[in-house]
Amino acid sequence: MPDASFVGTALAPSAPYLVGREKIKEFALAVGEGASVCSDVDAARAAGHPDVVAPPTFAVTFTMPLIEGFLRDPAFGWDYSRMVHGDQSIVLHRPIHGGDELVTVIHVEDLSTRAGSHMLTLRCEVTAVDGTAVATTKALLVTGS
Amino acid sequence: MSAVEKGTELPPLELRVTRADLVRYAGASGDLNPIHWSDRVATGVGLPGVIAHGMLTMALAARFVTAWVGDPSAVRSYGVRFTRPVVVPDDDEGALVELSGKVTDVTDGIAKVAITARCDGKTVLGRAVAEVALPS
């Protein structure tokens, strides 16, 4: 049974995640994003970006491991083995670029139980190390009792 | 792009997703859940077979929109519900994902696009909406 006292709290900020240029290229290749600004730093700079541009869903690569770490913590009481992803959204306050150093704070927004299923909403606030907002992601995760 | 208005339809796109694509996405995203590469584990938890990562399906639908707008940095927001898994058979053809989309609103240079993603004739993403900045 997940511990509802976590609802409304925020976890400690993550260590800064350094967005690798090659990681962006690898991710773009994996999702078939063919735009040159994702893989060619010269093309990205010519388009006015400081470095290569991450595809829109790239933040999952560094936010999901943080979410998994929280959900596998026995203190929260979540059955990770039976989890399914219900929905996902992302708001990009600006594009993510190669060389960004990003800090993520997970907010436990909501938890409800219906017909033996637990529905958890987690919000990730992603900021640059200077505190400026970069992305806000939200995931609805569902598991059994 | 100057002619984009409410009701504009995006050129449809058909994509094939194979097991190799799932392995590549698993590595790139770090999501190594075996339901995305092991039939034994997938069927063991009641799935019809290995399924694509929901986040991969979401990313493919994003690629459909960024290809249309011509700029992956144009996306301002994007959200989906995962309504049905994409089952990926262990063959060379894989699963066929059919993407279509329509502009439902244009305000201050931002187009709202409602995306439809189908596999085997069934919708696999629900409420899939992206907001993208149109080129000025």
Side-chain angles (χ1 to χ4, degrees):
Chain A
M1 192 75 182
D3 181 352
S5 70
F6 280 88
V7 175
T9 66
L11 309 187
S14 72
Y17 175 86
L18 175 59
V19 178
R21 187 184 290 169
E22 300 300 331
K23 187 70 194 175
I24 287 180
K25 286 164 75 169
E26 179 192 18
F27 187 84
L29 183 67
V31 303
E33 173 56 71
S36 59
V37 293
C38 295
S39 58
D40 179 344
V41 68
D42 293 331
R45 286 182 178 148
H49 297 285
D51 207 304
V52 293
V53 178
T57 61
F58 178 82
V60 69
T61 61
F62 57 90
T63 56
M64 275 299 169
L66 300 170
I67 286 174
E68 179 176 345
F70 168 61
L71 295 179
R72 285 189 187 278
D73 181 350
F76 183 54
W78 182 261
D79 183 356
Y80 191 83
S81 67
R82 297 175 60 196
M83 184 181 84
V84 294
H85 201 161
D87 65 46
Q88 179 69 45
S89 67
I90 182 162
V91 174
L92 286 155
H93 308 297
R94 67 151 170 90
I96 292 172
H97 297 114
D100 278 339
E101 282 193 79
L102 304 176
V103 173
T104 299
V105 176
I106 296 176
H107 296 257
V108 183
E109 271 210 345
D110 191 44
L111 174 68
S112 63
T113 299
R114 213 180 308 148
S117 290
H118 305 295
M119 280 154 283
L120 175 69
T121 302
L122 297 179
R123 188 179 89 246
C124 294
E125 294 292 350
V126 179
T127 56
V129 282
D130 66 4
T132 56
V134 174
T136 302
T137 74
K138 208 179 264 196
L140 173 70
L141 305 163
V142 183
T143 199
S145 288
Chain B
M1 298 299 290
S2 58
V4 171
E5 55 190 31
K6 185 178 174 179
T8 297
E9 294 200 16
L10 280 63
L13 182 65
E14 291 190 349
L15 297 173
R16 289 206 170 270
V17 182
T18 66
R19 290 285 175 95
D21 296 320
L22 302 191
V23 171
R24 193 188 289 275
Y25 185 78
S29 70
D31 183 346
L32 306 180
N33 189 329
I35 62 171
H36 304 306
W37 47 265
S38 166
D39 284 297
R40 175 178 56 84
V41 173
T43 55
V45 297
L47 293 166
V50 160
I51 62 167
H53 306 70
M55 288 303 301
L56 172 58
T57 310
M58 181 179 184
L60 296 176
R63 163 191 163 187
F64 161 67
V65 174
T66 59
W68 170 70
V69 77
D71 180 4
S73 72
V75 175
R76 296 291 182 268
S77 73
Y78 179 37
V80 307
R81 301 191 77 182
F82 301 111
T83 54
R84 196 177 275 112
V86 172
V87 181
V88 179
D90 183 14
D91 59 26
D92 294 337
E93 284 74 43
L96 182 68
V97 177
E98 297 169 275
L99 296 157
S100 58
K102 192 184 237 184
V103 175
T104 59
D105 183 56
V106 181
T107 302
D108 297 334
I110 306 280
K112 193 179 276 191
V113 180
I115 307 160
T116 301
R118 286 199 171 87
C119 185
D120 283 335
K122 292 174 187 150
T123 303
V124 293
L125 296 177
R127 291 189 212 156
V129 177
E131 289 183 305
V132 292
L134 298 170
S136 47

mmCIF file of all heavy atoms in Angstrom, chain B residues 5-35:
data_model
loop_
_atom_site.group_PDB
_atom_site.id
_atom_site.type_symbol
_atom_site.label_atom_id
_atom_site.label_comp_id
_atom_site.label_asym_id
_atom_site.label_seq_id
_atom_site.Cartn_x
_atom_site.Cartn_y
_atom_site.Cartn_z
ATOM 1 N N GLU B 5 -4.033 26.820 -40.368
ATOM 2 C CA GLU B 5 -5.177 27.355 -39.633
ATOM 3 C C GLU B 5 -5.941 26.187 -39.026
ATOM 4 O O GLU B 5 -5.635 25.016 -39.297
ATOM 5 C CB GLU B 5 -6.088 28.155 -40.558
ATOM 6 C CG GLU B 5 -6.550 27.350 -41.757
ATOM 7 C CD GLU B 5 -7.253 28.203 -42.807
ATOM 8 O OE1 GLU B 5 -6.906 29.404 -42.944
ATOM 9 O OE2 GLU B 5 -8.123 27.667 -43.494
ATOM 10 N N LYS B 6 -6.924 26.536 -38.215
ATOM 11 C CA LYS B 6 -7.754 25.503 -37.596
ATOM 12 C C LYS B 6 -8.326 24.608 -38.694
ATOM 13 O O LYS B 6 -8.868 25.108 -39.685
ATOM 14 C CB LYS B 6 -8.882 26.180 -36.807
ATOM 15 C CG LYS B 6 -9.743 25.205 -36.032
ATOM 16 C CD LYS B 6 -10.812 25.961 -35.230
ATOM 17 C CE LYS B 6 -11.753 24.942 -34.588
ATOM 18 N NZ LYS B 6 -12.788 25.603 -33.788
ATOM 19 N N GLY B 7 -8.168 23.309 -38.536
ATOM 20 C CA GLY B 7 -8.674 22.374 -39.535
ATOM 21 C C GLY B 7 -7.627 21.858 -40.499
ATOM 22 O O GLY B 7 -7.861 20.869 -41.193
ATOM 23 N N THR B 8 -6.449 22.502 -40.533
ATOM 24 C CA THR B 8 -5.366 22.023 -41.400
ATOM 25 C C THR B 8 -4.981 20.597 -41.004
ATOM 26 O O THR B 8 -4.787 20.317 -39.820
ATOM 27 C CB THR B 8 -4.132 22.942 -41.283
ATOM 28 O OG1 THR B 8 -4.476 24.244 -41.736
ATOM 29 C CG2 THR B 8 -2.964 22.410 -42.108
ATOM 30 N N GLU B 9 -4.895 19.723 -42.001
ATOM 31 C CA GLU B 9 -4.497 18.345 -41.704
ATOM 32 C C GLU B 9 -3.022 18.151 -42.007
ATOM 33 O O GLU B 9 -2.504 18.658 -43.004
ATOM 34 C CB GLU B 9 -5.353 17.369 -42.517
ATOM 35 C CG GLU B 9 -6.805 17.426 -42.079
ATOM 36 C CD GLU B 9 -7.601 16.196 -42.466
ATOM 37 O OE1 GLU B 9 -6.996 15.165 -42.805
ATOM 38 O OE2 GLU B 9 -8.842 16.285 -42.409
ATOM 39 N N LEU B 10 -2.344 17.413 -41.135
ATOM 40 C CA LEU B 10 -0.935 17.104 -41.358
ATOM 41 C C LEU B 10 -0.836 15.948 -42.358
ATOM 42 O O LEU B 10 -1.696 15.064 -42.360
ATOM 43 C CB LEU B 10 -0.255 16.690 -40.056
ATOM 44 C CG LEU B 10 0.162 17.812 -39.100
ATOM 45 C CD1 LEU B 10 -1.039 18.589 -38.591
ATOM 46 C CD2 LEU B 10 0.957 17.255 -37.932
ATOM 47 N N PRO B 11 0.229 15.929 -43.184
ATOM 48 C CA PRO B 11 0.396 14.775 -44.074
ATOM 49 C C PRO B 11 0.574 13.499 -43.250
ATOM 50 O O PRO B 11 1.421 13.469 -42.359
ATOM 51 C CB PRO B 11 1.670 15.103 -44.863
ATOM 52 C CG PRO B 11 2.173 16.387 -44.366
ATOM 53 C CD PRO B 11 1.280 16.920 -43.297
ATOM 54 N N PRO B 12 -0.239 12.476 -43.486
ATOM 55 C CA PRO B 12 -0.145 11.268 -42.670
ATOM 56 C C PRO B 12 1.204 10.566 -42.832
ATOM 57 O O PRO B 12 1.896 10.751 -43.841
ATOM 58 C CB PRO B 12 -1.287 10.381 -43.169
ATOM 59 C CG PRO B 12 -1.823 11.021 -44.377
ATOM 60 C CD PRO B 12 -1.290 12.400 -44.502
ATOM 61 N N LEU B 13 1.574 9.818 -41.833
ATOM 62 C CA LEU B 13 2.873 9.138 -41.834
ATOM 63 C C LEU B 13 2.682 7.709 -41.319
ATOM 64 O O LEU B 13 1.969 7.492 -40.330
ATOM 65 C CB LEU B 13 3.840 9.892 -40.908
ATOM 66 C CG LEU B 13 5.277 9.380 -40.796
ATOM 67 C CD1 LEU B 13 6.022 9.512 -42.124
ATOM 68 C CD2 LEU B 13 6.028 10.146 -39.693
ATOM 69 N N GLU B 14 3.291 6.755 -42.021
ATOM 70 C CA GLU B 14 3.264 5.360 -41.565
ATOM 71 C C GLU B 14 4.672 4.966 -41.162
ATOM 72 O O GLU B 14 5.618 5.183 -41.910
ATOM 73 C CB GLU B 14 2.770 4.434 -42.686
ATOM 74 C CG GLU B 14 1.304 4.614 -43.013
ATOM 75 C CD GLU B 14 0.788 3.522 -43.954
ATOM 76 O OE1 GLU B 14 1.618 2.765 -44.500
ATOM 77 O OE2 GLU B 14 -0.439 3.442 -44.116
ATOM 78 N N LEU B 15 4.791 4.392 -39.974
ATOM 79 C CA LEU B 15 6.104 3.988 -39.466
ATOM 80 C C LEU B 15 6.066 2.532 -39.053
ATOM 81 O O LEU B 15 5.071 2.076 -38.475
ATOM 82 C CB LEU B 15 6.474 4.830 -38.237
ATOM 83 C CG LEU B 15 6.641 6.328 -38.436
ATOM 84 C CD1 LEU B 15 6.825 7.011 -37.084
ATOM 85 C CD2 LEU B 15 7.836 6.606 -39.319
ATOM 86 N N ARG B 16 7.137 1.836 -39.321
ATOM 87 C CA ARG B 16 7.243 0.458 -38.856
ATOM 88 C C ARG B 16 8.150 0.410 -37.641
ATOM 89 O O ARG B 16 9.190 1.058 -37.601
ATOM 90 C CB ARG B 16 7.795 -0.444 -39.954
ATOM 91 C CG ARG B 16 6.789 -0.663 -41.062
ATOM 92 C CD ARG B 16 7.002 -1.959 -41.809
ATOM 93 N NE ARG B 16 5.857 -2.192 -42.678
ATOM 94 C CZ ARG B 16 4.781 -2.861 -42.319
ATOM 95 N NH1 ARG B 16 4.721 -3.417 -41.124
ATOM 96 N NH2 ARG B 16 3.768 -3.001 -43.138
ATOM 97 N N VAL B 17 7.725 -0.353 -36.647
ATOM 98 C CA VAL B 17 8.504 -0.522 -35.427
ATOM 99 C C VAL B 17 8.872 -1.996 -35.313
ATOM 100 O O VAL B 17 7.980 -2.858 -35.262
ATOM 101 C CB VAL B 17 7.698 -0.094 -34.180
ATOM 102 C CG1 VAL B 17 8.545 -0.243 -32.929
ATOM 103 C CG2 VAL B 17 7.209 1.336 -34.322
ATOM 104 N N THR B 18 10.169 -2.279 -35.335
ATOM 105 C CA THR B 18 10.638 -3.666 -35.234
ATOM 106 C C THR B 18 11.274 -3.910 -33.861
ATOM 107 O O THR B 18 11.524 -2.967 -33.097
ATOM 108 C CB THR B 18 11.679 -3.970 -36.319
ATOM 109 O OG1 THR B 18 12.841 -3.171 -36.054
ATOM 110 C CG2 THR B 18 11.146 -3.655 -37.724
ATOM 111 N N ARG B 19 11.563 -5.167 -33.589
ATOM 112 C CA ARG B 19 12.250 -5.496 -32.332
ATOM 113 C C ARG B 19 13.584 -4.743 -32.232
ATOM 114 O O ARG B 19 13.984 -4.313 -31.148
ATOM 115 C CB ARG B 19 12.490 -7.009 -32.243
ATOM 116 C CG ARG B 19 11.231 -7.850 -32.044
ATOM 117 C CD ARG B 19 10.700 -7.761 -30.634
ATOM 118 N NE ARG B 19 9.432 -8.477 -30.534
ATOM 119 C CZ ARG B 19 9.326 -9.744 -30.124
ATOM 120 N NH1 ARG B 19 10.393 -10.433 -29.792
ATOM 121 N NH2 ARG B 19 8.129 -10.316 -30.052
ATOM 122 N N ALA B 20 14.265 -4.593 -33.374
ATOM 123 C CA ALA B 20 15.548 -3.869 -33.346
ATOM 124 C C ALA B 20 15.332 -2.423 -32.883
ATOM 125 O O ALA B 20 16.151 -1.870 -32.141
ATOM 126 C CB ALA B 20 16.203 -3.888 -34.728
ATOM 127 N N ASP B 21 14.214 -1.816 -33.317
ATOM 128 C CA ASP B 21 13.913 -0.447 -32.874
ATOM 129 C C ASP B 21 13.698 -0.402 -31.355
ATOM 130 O O ASP B 21 14.077 0.568 -30.692
ATOM 131 C CB ASP B 21 12.657 0.080 -33.577
ATOM 132 C CG ASP B 21 12.855 0.214 -35.083
ATOM 133 O OD1 ASP B 21 13.946 0.643 -35.493
ATOM 134 O OD2 ASP B 21 11.914 -0.114 -35.840
ATOM 135 N N LEU B 22 13.057 -1.445 -30.830
ATOM 136 C CA LEU B 22 12.808 -1.478 -29.378
ATOM 137 C C LEU B 22 14.121 -1.604 -28.607
ATOM 138 O O LEU B 22 14.300 -0.969 -27.565
ATOM 139 C CB LEU B 22 11.888 -2.655 -29.015
ATOM 140 C CG LEU B 22 10.513 -2.688 -29.686
ATOM 141 C CD1 LEU B 22 9.641 -3.754 -29.025
ATOM 142 C CD2 LEU B 22 9.826 -1.331 -29.609
ATOM 143 N N VAL B 23 15.029 -2.432 -29.121
ATOM 144 C CA VAL B 23 16.328 -2.602 -28.469
ATOM 145 C C VAL B 23 17.093 -1.274 -28.494
ATOM 146 O O VAL B 23 17.669 -0.834 -27.498
ATOM 147 C CB VAL B 23 17.132 -3.719 -29.160
ATOM 148 C CG1 VAL B 23 18.561 -3.761 -28.632
ATOM 149 C CG2 VAL B 23 16.445 -5.070 -28.945
ATOM 150 N N ARG B 24 17.057 -0.605 -29.649
ATOM 151 C CA ARG B 24 17.754 0.683 -29.783
ATOM 152 C C ARG B 24 17.155 1.715 -28.828
ATOM 153 O O ARG B 24 17.880 2.456 -28.161
ATOM 154 C CB ARG B 24 17.639 1.180 -31.221
ATOM 155 C CG ARG B 24 18.574 2.331 -31.552
ATOM 156 C CD ARG B 24 18.285 2.900 -32.925
ATOM 157 N NE ARG B 24 18.676 2.022 -34.007
ATOM 158 C CZ ARG B 24 19.908 1.970 -34.529
ATOM 159 N NH1 ARG B 24 20.849 2.745 -34.051
ATOM 160 N NH2 ARG B 24 20.184 1.163 -35.520
ATOM 161 N N TYR B 25 15.808 1.753 -28.737
ATOM 162 C CA TYR B 25 15.182 2.722 -27.847
ATOM 163 C C TYR B 25 15.462 2.375 -26.380
ATOM 164 O O TYR B 25 15.661 3.271 -25.551
ATOM 165 C CB TYR B 25 13.664 2.815 -28.098
ATOM 166 C CG TYR B 25 13.053 3.911 -27.255
ATOM 167 C CD1 TYR B 25 13.184 5.244 -27.631
ATOM 168 C CD2 TYR B 25 12.413 3.628 -26.053
ATOM 169 C CE1 TYR B 25 12.691 6.264 -26.834
ATOM 170 C CE2 TYR B 25 11.914 4.637 -25.249
ATOM 171 C CZ TYR B 25 12.046 5.956 -25.647
ATOM 172 O OH TYR B 25 11.564 6.982 -24.849
ATOM 173 N N ALA B 26 15.471 1.081 -26.067
ATOM 174 C CA ALA B 26 15.780 0.674 -24.688
ATOM 175 C C ALA B 26 17.151 1.209 -24.287
ATOM 176 O O ALA B 26 17.315 1.769 -23.198
ATOM 177 C CB ALA B 26 15.729 -0.847 -24.561
ATOM 178 N N GLY B 27 18.117 1.064 -25.190
ATOM 179 C CA GLY B 27 19.457 1.545 -24.884
ATOM 180 C C GLY B 27 19.522 3.060 -24.772
ATOM 181 O O GLY B 27 20.119 3.596 -23.842
ATOM 182 N N ALA B 28 18.869 3.742 -25.691
ATOM 183 C CA ALA B 28 18.939 5.210 -25.713
ATOM 184 C C ALA B 28 18.203 5.833 -24.535
ATOM 185 O O ALA B 28 18.619 6.867 -24.012
ATOM 186 C CB ALA B 28 18.377 5.751 -27.027
ATOM 187 N N SER B 29 17.083 5.215 -24.137
ATOM 188 C CA SER B 29 16.256 5.809 -23.079
ATOM 189 C C SER B 29 16.622 5.278 -21.703
ATOM 190 O O SER B 29 16.267 5.881 -20.694
ATOM 191 C CB SER B 29 14.776 5.505 -23.333
ATOM 192 O OG SER B 29 14.524 4.117 -23.129
ATOM 193 N N GLY B 30 17.284 4.129 -21.654
ATOM 194 C CA GLY B 30 17.586 3.513 -20.370
ATOM 195 C C GLY B 30 16.439 2.685 -19.805
ATOM 196 O O GLY B 30 16.534 2.162 -18.693
ATOM 197 N N ASP B 31 15.338 2.554 -20.559
ATOM 198 C CA ASP B 31 14.208 1.750 -20.084
ATOM 199 C C ASP B 31 14.405 0.302 -20.542
ATOM 200 O O ASP B 31 14.088 -0.049 -21.672
ATOM 201 C CB ASP B 31 12.892 2.306 -20.633
ATOM 202 C CG ASP B 31 11.674 1.528 -20.093
ATOM 203 O OD1 ASP B 31 11.862 0.430 -19.531
ATOM 204 O OD2 ASP B 31 10.553 2.027 -20.253
ATOM 205 N N LEU B 32 14.948 -0.509 -19.640
ATOM 206 C CA LEU B 32 15.322 -1.882 -19.983
ATOM 207 C C LEU B 32 14.255 -2.901 -19.553
ATOM 208 O O LEU B 32 14.539 -4.099 -19.460
ATOM 209 C CB LEU B 32 16.656 -2.230 -19.327
ATOM 210 C CG LEU B 32 17.805 -1.264 -19.635
ATOM 211 C CD1 LEU B 32 19.073 -1.702 -18.923
ATOM 212 C CD2 LEU B 32 18.056 -1.167 -21.133
ATOM 213 N N ASN B 33 13.049 -2.438 -19.274
ATOM 214 C CA ASN B 33 11.980 -3.356 -18.853
ATOM 215 C C ASN B 33 11.865 -4.512 -19.865
ATOM 216 O O ASN B 33 11.679 -4.275 -21.058
ATOM 217 C CB ASN B 33 10.659 -2.573 -18.777
ATOM 218 C CG ASN B 33 9.549 -3.390 -18.131
ATOM 219 O OD1 ASN B 33 9.518 -4.616 -18.253
ATOM 220 N ND2 ASN B 33 8.646 -2.716 -17.448
ATOM 221 N N PRO B 34 11.979 -5.781 -19.390
ATOM 222 C CA PRO B 34 11.999 -6.916 -20.324
ATOM 223 C C PRO B 34 10.700 -7.133 -21.098
ATOM 224 O O PRO B 34 10.720 -7.863 -22.103
ATOM 225 C CB PRO B 34 12.320 -8.127 -19.429
ATOM 226 C CG PRO B 34 12.099 -7.676 -18.035
ATOM 227 C CD PRO B 34 12.267 -6.187 -18.008
ATOM 228 N N ILE B 35 9.591 -6.497 -20.691
ATOM 229 C CA ILE B 35 8.366 -6.631 -21.505
ATOM 230 C C ILE B 35 8.566 -6.010 -22.892
ATOM 231 O O ILE B 35 7.779 -6.245 -23.792
ATOM 232 C CB ILE B 35 7.120 -5.991 -20.836
ATOM 233 C CG1 ILE B 35 7.304 -4.490 -20.629
ATOM 234 C CG2 ILE B 35 6.790 -6.709 -19.534
ATOM 235 C CD1 ILE B 35 6.026 -3.778 -20.177
#
